[in-house]
């Protein structure tokens, strides 16, 4: 099992390609062909890092929107 993990960690897809795949996965729209291609070439460590970054960015955007809406509702 560790050999499979080591091989997966050696995949050579760029971090940008990983971010793109994670971005589309947040929307839930992905062609099956693209999904299979990503599963074969993306580095799982990059996927985890990109997922955490994407989630943090998503939360930051939501918090900013809420602050803007609440601030404008109170007249500040």
């Amino acid at each position: 099992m560790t050999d499979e993990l080591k091989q997966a960690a050696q995949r050579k897809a760029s971090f940008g390609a990983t971010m793109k795949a994670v971005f589309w996965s947040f929307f839930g729209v992905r062609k099956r062909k693209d999904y299979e291609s990503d599963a074969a070439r993306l580095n799982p460590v990059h996927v985890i890092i990109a997922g955490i970054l994407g989630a943090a960015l998503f939360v930051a955007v939501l918090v900013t929107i809420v602050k803007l809406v609440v601030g404008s509702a109170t007249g500040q």
Side-chain angles (χ1 to χ4, degrees):
M1 190 70 143
T2 42
D3 290 336
E4 292 176 14
L5 185 58
K6 287 179 183 178
Q7 287 176 339
Q10 297 300 321
R11 294 178 185 163
K12 297 294 182 187
S14 70
F15 190 71
T18 304
M19 286 297 293
K20 180 181 171 186
V22 169
F23 172 77
W24 283 113
S25 71
F26 271 92
F27 289 109
V29 273
R30 199 80 173 136
K31 293 180 183 177
R32 184 164 186 89
K33 178 185 73 165
D34 293 336
Y35 168 76
E36 290 171 354
S37 171
D38 289 341
R41 66 185 178 92
L42 293 180
N43 184 331
V45 175
H46 290 172
V47 173
I48 292 169
I49 294 169
I52 291 170
L53 289 175
L57 180 64
F58 180 71
V59 169
V61 168
L62 287 180
V63 168
T64 302
I65 291 171
V66 169
K67 285 185 176 185
L68 290 173
V69 170
V70 170
S72 67
T74 60
Q76 292 181 350

